[in-house]
């Protein structure tokens, strides 16, 4: 158990759905004893989404964090008891394939399950029928069976956790509606309700789809959209007579028919059907009726039969026995969707002490509550939460229009087969660099990230690709990929290429205290002369890697940081003393990376400053001019080639591009995209934060010990690093043995032929210089040369542990 505060802060939790109840339990378990849960509806079924949730829990997700949340929910609810039975019914899960595309995707899903340690098996149609005798055998190609999935008894779990929290001192007040959030000087001080005020040091909004209403009281936009989703129960089936015990209600696996956006569970002798097949049905959170005024429950809207009609036909096709039944009761139930389908967790940076735990499924509820309780108690959670933190959204992603469009799209795509590189189609383009017009003209193939349009390759380079000898790709890995990327990578290694680095986050840190502050915040030594650049790590108190940064000291008191997520800025702002000023300069500036053996031939004639290796060495910065454009040049390269990142203000970006382009013509310069970029960085062994390492990993196991200077003085995370033992796992470089084989990331890795996966791939890409696919993976320490297997769509492909870096270990491409 963790450090319990000496006197517990006063906490108000808004909402007694599954999230609020689980949180009260987790906080009181950690010794917090001044918890008040305020609920507008009557307990124990106050009328939110939890009150009617059918409780299906499928644990496997592309997100390792979501899967871990769900695993904890299953563990915890299995052990919780209410009314003499467990709060989890482990009937298992069965996901069906009725199309070849889904059948292939289930194999990919089985790989994800293996990566995250979830038991599961791909089974044929006969085995599916054994588990679910009502299925039409002719419709089913097969399924993915996960015996540990099942049904959460949500309201029972609420009750059991409430009782435990109350026994430890928590208060639950129902029929108490929060009407205002009180604040002073940027800190929350309490809440007002229709029954008086409650002073509080911390307020947690666990108000489910009412989140935006609470957000408005606090002056904060909450990026979620309430949407209605249809759930119906059939009349009794003769075929189910006597099959299920009315107390446990279900014995057969929860069933998914994603090709038709449907799921099923048993309710004793009836079948419950959930549908995502209908049009998005947004609900205005501000117009939801109060409990006493709602026809059923505030979260339950009248069933719209016409929306369900096509689904009902699909149900009867899959389960022919349903032809003898009809829809007996149905409703349109409301819950939350977010722009990226992930929950919204963490403390608001705009209002200190105001926490969010919103857009959480029953599936993830206990895991989320544990993580938020850890975070509130220790300042960090034991799992990496970066995909869930409220701070992940860019300001360009905060408009209500953006949230509504994206969240509705998430609803539509909830069961779709989604490629890891697939971008949403709307609203685009949103953020573009100053070079956008040129990129369009060069036939850029854009993918979206953080709201930015990012070129992945340029059709203009198709001619160069004609000579590339590449193995053909199977259709999945060929999606969002082009052989042109190979030509762009080659041009970078052999000539020179321009990369749009504008989406790279840039922070400016200035002021008398800037150096001391950055020394305290990060792991490497930054006390160097102006003009130096340092690769350094933002660590948390336990030594976990929160981010990797480049820090350029441009003047005594002026630093420019190359950072990763918006959370980096929040972290720095949180800790900054008064004599340090921090600004995100990303939107007003831009950056071009000019890299390749001819980079100096291209750039040197454009400036009067000396760009020789002697005058401007590796990891050095210089303010200079490129033609008419003032730039900051940084001699570093994520692709591992000679060259510079050239930064200027957005207004001069186009001029910079054109100047470099013109000067580059005689050298055969090309524009190159992220597909080549990713390949080159993998060959060079440069890690991508958020994929290869996160807060769950320390620098040594991530292979980043070189960026830690233990003797520079104290810094956050140092004490924890001192106490570390030998690593039990390492971020390990692998190459695939078959030059034609490709993996994409998150696949399970097996060290011995039998047994469980020993680890999983973090990121991967074809190394065009090496002529093989490179994959990084978390694995137990293994010697170079060790053979392993990576499972890709159910097939094991051989790979070998290799020494790093794979490309140019002597740095001859960079140091010249
Ligand atoms: P809620 O349960 O909505 O709780 C929030 C509480 O806050 C409410 O009780 C509300 O009254 C209270 N509140 C709001 N405003 C105030 C205020 N101003 N003052 C005081 N109290 C306030 N998830 C799964 O994992 N598996 C499923 O199979 C599944 N099926 C679903 C089927 C349907 C039809 C629906 C609608 C949802 C389903 N979900 C499922 C989603 C799941 O139900 C929700 O994501 C989950 O219950 C949300 O829990 P919560 O505690 O965040 O919100
Ligand atoms: N450019 C800039 N800032 C950045 C990135 C970038 N910040 C975020 C992210 N990318 C940081 N990632 C890296 C990873 C590796 C290197 C640079 C940024 C790198 N490493 C060399 C190595 O590992 O050998 C040098 C390390 C050293 O000398 O200390 O170049 O792309 N501006």
């Amino acid at each position: 158990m963790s450090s319990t505060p000496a006197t517990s802060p006063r906490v108000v939790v808004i909402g007694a759905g599954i999230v609020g109840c689980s949180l009260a339990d987790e906080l009181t378990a950690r010794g917090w004893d001044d918890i008040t849960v305020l609920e507008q509806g009557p307990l124990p079924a106050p009328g939110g989404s939890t009150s009617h949730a059918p409780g299906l829990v499928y644990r496997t997700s592309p997100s390792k964090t979501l899967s871990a949340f769900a695993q904890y929910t299953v563990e915890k609810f299995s052990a919780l008891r209410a009314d003499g039975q467990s709060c989890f019914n482990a009937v298992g899960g069965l996901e069906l394939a009725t199309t070849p595309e889904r059948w292939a995707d289930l194999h990919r899903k089985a790989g994800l399950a293996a990566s995250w340690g979830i038991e599961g098996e791909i089974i044929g149609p006969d085995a599916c029928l054994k588990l679910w005798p009502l299925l039409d055998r002719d419709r089913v190609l097969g399924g993915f069976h996960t015996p540990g999935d099942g049904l959460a008894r949500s309201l029972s779990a609420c009750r059991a956790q409430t009782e435990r929290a109350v026994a430890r001192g928590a208060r639950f007040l129902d029929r108490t509606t929060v009407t205002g959030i009180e604040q002073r000087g940027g800190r929350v001080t309490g809440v007002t309700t229709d029954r008086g005020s409650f002073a509080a040091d911390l307020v947690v909004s666990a108000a489910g789809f009412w989140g935006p209403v609470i957000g408005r009281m606090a002056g904060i936009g909450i990026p979620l959209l309430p949407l209605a989703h249809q759930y119906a129960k059939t009349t009794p089936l003769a075929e189910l007579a006597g099959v299920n015990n009315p107390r446990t209600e279900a014995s057969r696996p929860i069933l998914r028919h994603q090709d038709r956006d449907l799921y099923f569970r048993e309710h004793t002798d009836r079948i419950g059907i959930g549908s995502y097949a209908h049009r998005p049905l947004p609900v205005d959170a501000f117009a939801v009726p109060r409990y006493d005024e709602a026809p059923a429950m505030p979260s339950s809207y009248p069933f719209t039969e016409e929306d369900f009609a096509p689904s009902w036909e699909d149900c009867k096709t899959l389960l022919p026995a349903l032809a003898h039944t009809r829809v007996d009761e149905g409703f349109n139930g409301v819950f939350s969707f977010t722009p990226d389908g992930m929950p919204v967790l963490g403390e608001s940076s705009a209002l200190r002490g105001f926490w969010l735990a919103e857009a959480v499924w029953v599936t993830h509820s206990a895991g989320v509550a544990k993580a938020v309780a850890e975070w509130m108690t220790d300042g960090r959670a034991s799992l990496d939460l970066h995909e869930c933190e409220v701070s992940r959204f860019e300001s360009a992603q905060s408009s209500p229009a953006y949230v509504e469009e994206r969240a509705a799209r998430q609803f539509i795509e909830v069961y779709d087969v989604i490629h890891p590189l697939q971008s949403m189609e709307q609203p685009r383009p949103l953020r573009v660099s100053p070079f956008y017009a040129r990129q369009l003209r060069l036939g850029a193939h854009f993918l979206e990230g953080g709201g930015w349009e990012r070129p992945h390759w340029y059709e203009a380079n198709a001619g160069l690709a004609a000579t590339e000898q590449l193995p053909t790709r199977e259709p999945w890995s060929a999606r969002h990929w082009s052989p042109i990327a190979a030509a762009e990578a080659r041009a970078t290694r052999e000539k020179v290429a321009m990369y749009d680095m504008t989406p790279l986050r840039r922070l400016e840190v200035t002021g008398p205290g800037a150096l001391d502050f950055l020394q305290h915040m990060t792991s490497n030594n930054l006390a160097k002369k102006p003009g130096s650049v340092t690769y350094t790590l933002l660590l948390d108190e336990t030594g976990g890697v929160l981010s990797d940064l480049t820090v350029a000291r441009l003047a005594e008191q002026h630093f420019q940081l190359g950072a990763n997520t918006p959370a980096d800025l929040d972290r720095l702002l949180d800790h900054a003393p008064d004599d340090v000023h921090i600004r995100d300069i990303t939107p007003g500036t831009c950056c071009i990376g000019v890299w390749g053996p001819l980079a100096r031939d291209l750039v040197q004639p454009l400036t009067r400053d000396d760009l020789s290796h002697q005058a401007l060495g590796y990891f050095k910065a210089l303010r200079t001019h490129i033609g008419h454009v003032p730039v900051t040049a940084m001699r570093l390269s994520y692709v591992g080639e000679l060259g510079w990142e050239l930064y200027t203000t957005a207004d001069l970006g186009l001029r910079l591009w054109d100047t470099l382009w013109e000067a580059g013509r005689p050298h055969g310069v090309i524009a190159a995209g992220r597909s080549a970029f990713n390949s080159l960085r993998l060959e060079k062994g440069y890690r991508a934060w958020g994929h290869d390492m996160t807060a769950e990993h320390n620098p040594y196991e991530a292979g980043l010990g070189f960026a830690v200077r233990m003797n520079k003085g104290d810094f956050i995370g140092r004490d924890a690093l001192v106490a570390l033992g030998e690593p039990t796992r390492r971020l390990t470089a692998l190459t695939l043995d078959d030059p034609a084989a490709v993996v994409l990331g998150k696949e399970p890795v097996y060290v011995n032929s039998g047994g469980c996966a020993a680890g999983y791939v973090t990121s991967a890409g074809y190394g065009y210089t090496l002529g093989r696919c490179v994959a990084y993976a978390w694995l137990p320490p293994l010697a170079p040369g060790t053979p392993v297997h990576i499972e890709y769509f159910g097939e094991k492909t051989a790979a070998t542990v290799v020494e790093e870096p794979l490309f140019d270990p002597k740095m001859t491409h960079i140091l010249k």
Side-chain angles (χ1 to χ4, degrees):
M1 199 139 307
S2 10
S3 50
T4 302
T7 51
S8 274
R10 295 161 302 174
V11 182
V12 163
V13 176
I14 305 170
I18 192 68
V19 175
C21 294
S22 301
L23 184 60
D25 180 55
E26 294 286 340
L27 283 172
T28 54
R30 285 168 177 73
W32 297 62
D33 57 15
D34 196 341
I35 312 277
T36 305
V37 181
L38 301 176
E39 169 54 59
Q40 64 188 3
L43 291 174
S49 308
T50 307
S51 299
H52 49 57
L56 288 79
V57 177
Y58 289 94
R59 292 161 300 167
T60 309
S61 147
S63 161
K64 174 171 163 286
T65 300
L66 283 192
S67 298
F69 285 159
Q71 280 166 285
Y72 182 71
T73 301
V74 167
E75 251 168 64
K76 185 177 186 188
F77 289 3
S78 297
L80 267 182
R81 297 187 77 77
D83 303 327
Q85 64 177 345
S86 159
C87 294
F88 189 76
N89 184 4
V91 290
L94 178 60
E95 303 190 47
L96 298 175
T98 58
T99 61
E101 195 196 13
R102 181 72 57 183
W103 181 231
D105 201 56
L106 289 184
H107 287 80
R108 188 171 70 100
K109 194 153 214 182
L112 288 170
S115 287
W116 315 146
I118 296 167
E119 187 197 343
E121 194 190 357
I122 292 288
I123 58 175
D126 291 330
C128 290
L129 239 71
K130 228 176 180 169
L131 291 167
W132 255 88
L134 301 182
L135 289 171
D136 180 355
R137 165 87 172 63
D138 296 342
R139 302 276 157 194
V140 179
L141 299 176
F144 177 49
H145 179 219
T146 41
D149 288 338
L151 289 162
R153 295 193 173 91
S154 317
L155 282 177
S156 301
C158 283
R159 215 152 16 96
Q161 295 184 98
T162 299
E163 279 165 19
R164 225 156 54 176
V166 168
R168 298 186 195 117
R171 293 193 282 179
F172 281 69
L173 303 178
D174 66 354
R175 295 191 181 273
T176 307
T177 303
V178 173
T179 52
I181 306 292
E182 294 166 9
Q183 45 180 301
R184 200 177 317 116
R187 268 211 78 84
V188 74
T189 57
V191 302
T192 23
T193 75
D194 56 353
R195 296 191 166 192
S197 293
F198 294 79
D201 304 302
L202 301 171
V203 172
V204 187
S205 178
F209 68 81
W210 284 270
V213 179
I214 306 292
R216 183 173 294 175
M217 295 175 198
I220 288 161
I222 309 288
L224 69 79
L225 176 72
L227 285 162
H229 147 62
Q230 295 201 293
Y231 193 78
K233 284 183 197 171
T234 64
T235 51
L237 274 77
E239 291 81 351
L240 285 183
V243 169
N244 293 313
N245 172 342
R247 238 169 92 71
T248 53
E249 286 194 340
S251 56
R252 291 175 184 160
I254 54 174
L255 191 66
R256 266 181 176 169
H257 180 23
Q258 283 152 296
D259 295 318
R260 287 282 185 258
D261 293 312
L262 290 168
Y263 65 83
F264 305 86
R265 60 158 287 184
E266 295 169 317
H267 293 277
T268 316
D269 57 355
R270 300 160 191 257
I271 290 183
I273 305 161
S275 167
Y276 293 105
H278 52 84
R279 69 202 155 104
L281 299 163
V283 167
D284 180 358
F286 292 87
V288 174
R290 296 173 48 90
Y291 190 93
D292 299 324
E293 293 155 6
M297 280 185 181
S299 61
S300 175
Y301 281 63
F303 192 58
T304 48
E305 228 161 44
E306 65 282 11
D307 288 313
F308 197 70
S311 289
W312 181 237
E313 294 310 310
D314 289 331
C315 292
K316 287 186 287 191
T317 306
L318 184 75
L319 304 167
L322 291 183
H324 311 294
T325 70
R326 56 186 170 75
V327 173
D328 192 25
E329 42 183 291
F331 65 102
N332 293 2
V334 184
F335 72 113
S336 310
F337 279 77
T338 58
D340 56 7
M342 299 294 282
V344 177
L345 312 180
E347 190 181 15
S348 160
S349 59
L351 179 59
R352 290 296 155 197
F354 182 70
W355 288 70
L356 300 166
E358 307 276 10
V360 179
W361 289 40
V362 169
T363 301
H364 309 118
S365 56
V368 161
K370 176 175 182 231
V372 171
E374 287 175 339
W375 196 354
M376 291 173 71
T377 308
D378 304 328
R380 81 186 289 274
S382 49
L383 286 173
D384 160 49
L385 299 184
H386 83 275
E387 302 166 306
C388 307
E389 288 174 22
V390 56
S391 61
R392 71 186 180 275
F393 296 104
E394 305 274 348
S395 58
Q397 299 171 309
S398 65
S399 67
Y402 180 92
V403 172
E404 283 164 22
E405 280 174 44
R406 288 276 164 128
R409 200 65 221 164
Q410 287 293 338
F411 176 89
I412 293 167
E413 292 180 0
V414 70
Y415 278 173
D416 285 4
V417 173
I418 306 280
H419 190 279
L421 285 174
Q422 182 177 326
S423 303
M424 289 222 177
E425 279 156 24
Q426 294 294 331
R428 290 179 62 189
L430 187 60
R431 307 177 86 182
V432 299
S433 79
F435 328 126
Y436 186 59
R438 300 294 179 265
Q439 294 168 340
L440 282 175
R441 211 195 282 163
L442 292 169
H445 180 92
F446 292 102
L447 295 178
E448 182 267 356
W452 290 102
E453 293 298 330
R454 303 187 298 186
H456 272 241
W457 65 83
Y458 294 87
E459 284 303 324
N461 299 324
L464 297 174
T467 56
E468 294 291 333
Q469 299 288 317
L470 288 171
T472 45
R473 289 196 172 202
E474 44 72 40
W476 183 255
S477 65
R479 263 194 225 180
H480 308 295
W481 176 83
S482 162
I484 295 171
E488 294 178 1
R490 186 173 312 281
T492 312
R493 292 268 186 254
E494 294 174 0
K495 287 182 168 174
V496 58
M498 286 163 53
Y499 287 84
D500 181 1
M501 297 288 286
T502 303
L504 172 76
R505 189 174 312 281
R506 292 171 288 287
L507 307 178
E508 182 187 82
V509 180
T510 54
L515 175 64
D516 287 346
F517 170 63
L518 290 170
Q519 285 283 65
H520 174 64
M521 294 302 295
T522 78
S523 63
N524 210 336
N525 187 18
L526 310 172
K528 300 178 189 162
K529 284 206 261 323
S532 57
V533 184
T534 309
Y535 176 70
T536 188
L537 307 174
L538 203 59
L539 301 179
D540 68 19
E541 287 68 12
T542 69
V545 182
L546 290 174
S547 187
D548 63 342
L549 310 170
T550 56
V551 177
R553 189 172 196 183
L554 299 179
E556 286 292 329
Q557 300 184 3
H558 181 173
F559 296 82
Q560 182 174 317
L561 277 51
N564 289 300
T565 68
D568 296 354
L569 174 64
D570 282 0
R571 171 92 182 168
L572 294 173
L573 285 172
D574 260 1
H575 288 76
D578 289 344
D579 61 349
V580 173
H581 312 289
I582 306 172
R583 265 191 334 137
D584 184 345
I585 58 169
T586 316
T589 59
C590 60
C591 178
I592 301 173
V594 184
W595 291 305
L598 303 182
R600 191 175 280 119
D601 300 329
L602 190 164
V603 180
Q604 180 65 79
L606 298 171
T607 173
R608 296 179 193 188
D609 287 305
D610 183 357
L611 296 186
S612 68
H613 185 55
Q614 291 68 31
L616 185 65
Y618 186 47
F619 268 75
K620 294 283 184 273
L622 176 74
R623 286 163 139 175
T624 180
H625 293 84
I626 298 294
H628 295 92
V629 182
V631 300
T632 300
M634 286 186 208
R635 173 110 187 261
L636 61 97
S637 163
Y638 200 58
V639 301
E641 294 294 330
L642 171 69
W644 302 268
E645 290 176 349
L646 302 171
Y647 296 89
T648 191
T649 49
D651 54 338
L652 291 165
L654 198 54
R655 179 72 187 219
L656 177 63
W657 180 279
D658 288 345
T659 305
L660 293 166
W661 189 257
E662 277 310 309
R665 272 177 196 272
H667 305 288
V669 73
I670 61 154
R674 288 185 69 86
S675 197
F677 187 75
N678 192 46
S679 157
L680 296 166
R681 72 99 187 161
L682 280 162
E683 290 184 331
K684 191 63 193 153
Y686 293 161
R687 278 79 170 127
W689 190 87
H691 299 275
D692 299 319
M693 73 286 190
T694 68
E696 290 177 16
H697 309 109
N698 74 53
Y700 303 112
E701 56 193 10
L704 296 172
F706 69 89
V708 179
R709 287 287 179 282
M710 293 301 269
N711 57 7
K712 74 159 182 171
D714 200 24
F715 57 89
I716 296 178
R718 185 181 183 282
D719 293 346
L721 297 186
V722 170
L724 289 175
E726 272 299 297
T728 54
R729 58 181 179 184
R730 280 186 191 284
L731 185 61
T732 306
L734 308 171
T735 54
L736 272 54
D737 295 357
D738 174 359
V742 172
V743 297
L744 299 179
K746 303 193 177 184
E747 296 85 1
V749 183
Y750 296 83
V751 176
N752 301 311
S753 45
C756 300
Y760 59 91
V761 175
T762 56
S763 54
Y766 205 80
Y768 301 106
T769 323
L770 302 168
R772 308 183 174 281
C773 184
V774 180
Y776 272 80
W778 281 104
L779 286 170
L782 297 172
T786 307
V788 301
H789 284 92
I790 304 176
E791 190 184 304
Y792 183 69
F793 285 92
E795 309 247 329
K796 287 198 173 153
T797 180
T800 305
V801 176
V802 284
E803 195 114 44
E804 292 186 75
L806 284 74
F807 173 76
D808 192 23
K810 299 218 166 74
M811 302 286 277
T812 56
H813 281 246
I814 292 187
L815 302 180
K816 58 185 181 186

